[in-house]
Amino acid sequence: MLLKVERFVGWSCSIPAWKTWLPRTITDTEEGSPEDNTTEQDRLQRGYIVLAQVLPWLHAKLGQLDIDKCQDMLKQLKRRADAARGDDTSTLKDLVASWVNQDFQPSSLLKSDDKQMRGFVHNICGNLLCPSEWDWGDNTVKAGIRDRMVDYIILENSWPLFLYEKYMVNYGNLKQGLFKSKILVQAFKAIFTSPSSAREADGDSDGADILENNRRARRQLNQAKVKTCVASIINMRKVTPRSIAYVVCQVHFALSNISSWRTIDGDFDYEGFWNNMVDFFEDVPGPVTQRRVNLLLKWWTRKVFGNNHRQDLMPEVISHMSVTTLAQQRKELEDAIFDSE
């Protein structure tokens, strides 16, 4: 159960912010108006709701603790979440290097054990990390980023190119292809299913081989003789917004040249970046955008887990299927004959 907590907490919430928000929320007896919440409070609350749905015992457990013990429990969760994140960081450090070398065949190959030559000093990593509003192929842009000129500061308020399908962006329609890149699918599968499954990522397009995806998903999730994957441990059957945001941050870090994890990298704030992605998926302006987000999440689930929906079937849906209907008709026929005799 602890492994389940630490893996889920690692990508569902911001522990430092929870340390001040959660104890007050659990112990507060006054009902506040949702309109009074800040964007950050709404984001934290949505994260807590998701976590409580996966770990039903959590809310009751925290409610039994005083503020100090609640803080202690959150500190333990943070330590375990940090450890899980460290494992994923180590895994992707090697894999991202191999994927970049294989897919882009750079003149200067990335070394799996060395990050010093990654980031903007490396032409391919620099292109993938470059904000989508700039053209890495423009030498002025490239020099400005590398020299950290004021007009080319890298902040968390830009979508990097590696997020986009085929690593191409349509600046007139920035949502096109966003969060659909091959390297993200590979990284997600490496973390949540298995590193070997990442080799089977079938590219960027929507034309997935559904039967093949289903076969792979069954093999990855149901093999009893191999180490249980993270997705099985946390009962993940669908890709979620916060798991995508977590993977994006991990890939961004793997492409960068910083050797150890830190929230702030120069001018770039990883926590702010994560918040921007969560808000993209969860804080939508209306139903049209929500439908597009839902379609994107379905695309992700199909890419990672195949196209199985058995777990989504409700009892009332099954009750109207032909096997159940025929059983009911046969029973009704028997009852009618019995009553007539």
Side-chain angles (χ1 to χ4, degrees), residues 121-137:
V121 300
H122 190 275
N123 194 50
I124 299 301
C125 291
N127 182 43
L128 294 174
L129 290 169
C130 184
S132 57
E133 59 266 32
W134 298 335
D135 180 8
W136 179 254

Side-chain angles (χ1 to χ4, degrees), residues 274-309:
W274 187 87
N275 288 339
N276 288 338
M277 289 182 284
V278 170
D279 290 346
F280 170 86
F281 284 99
E282 297 181 356
D283 189 16
V284 297
V288 174
T289 304
Q290 184 64 64
R291 283 195 294 272
R292 289 172 177 165
V293 166
N294 292 344
L295 288 174
L296 178 58
L297 292 174
K298 288 180 180 178
W299 179 91
W300 263 98
T301 296
R302 187 172 72 247
K303 287 289 185 180
V304 176
F305 298 114
N307 205 35
N308 294 327
H309 297 291

Side-chain angles (χ1 to χ4, degrees), residues 247-262:
V247 170
V248 170
C249 288
Q250 286 281 3
V251 173
H252 191 286
F253 177 80
L255 290 169
S256 75
N257 62 353
I258 56 176
S259 57
S260 59
W261 176 265
R262 52 179 178 264

Side-chain angles (χ1 to χ4, degrees), residues 19 64 69 78 88 106 141 175 191 216 218 228 266 284:
K19 286 183 180 179
Q64 296 169 1
K69 290 184 178 179
K78 183 180 185 303
D88 297 334
V141 172
K175 68 178 182 297
I191 291 174
R216 292 170 181 169
R218 286 194 298 270
T228 305
V284 297

Side-chain angles (χ1 to χ4, degrees), residues 88-158:
D88 297 334
T89 298
S90 178
T91 297
L92 289 186
K93 177 183 177 181
D94 295 341
L95 289 177
V96 166
S98 66
W99 297 335
V100 169
N101 291 338
Q102 178 180 338
D103 291 347
F104 297 94
Q105 299 182 350
S107 57
S108 176
L109 296 177
L110 296 182
K111 298 180 179 179
S112 61
D113 60 346
D114 181 18
K115 293 196 66 186
Q116 294 303 312
M117 296 307 296
R118 301 189 192 187
F120 291 106
V121 300
H122 190 275
N123 194 50
I124 299 301
C125 291
N127 182 43
L128 294 174
L129 290 169
C130 184
S132 57
E133 59 266 32
W134 298 335
D135 180 8
W136 179 254
D138 186 331
N139 288 330
T140 301
V141 172
K142 190 179 300 184
I145 292 175
R146 286 174 171 172
D147 294 339
R148 298 195 173 187
M149 297 176 62
V150 67
D151 291 335
Y152 296 100
I153 297 175
I154 304 299
L155 297 174
E156 66 277 5
N157 297 314
S158 296

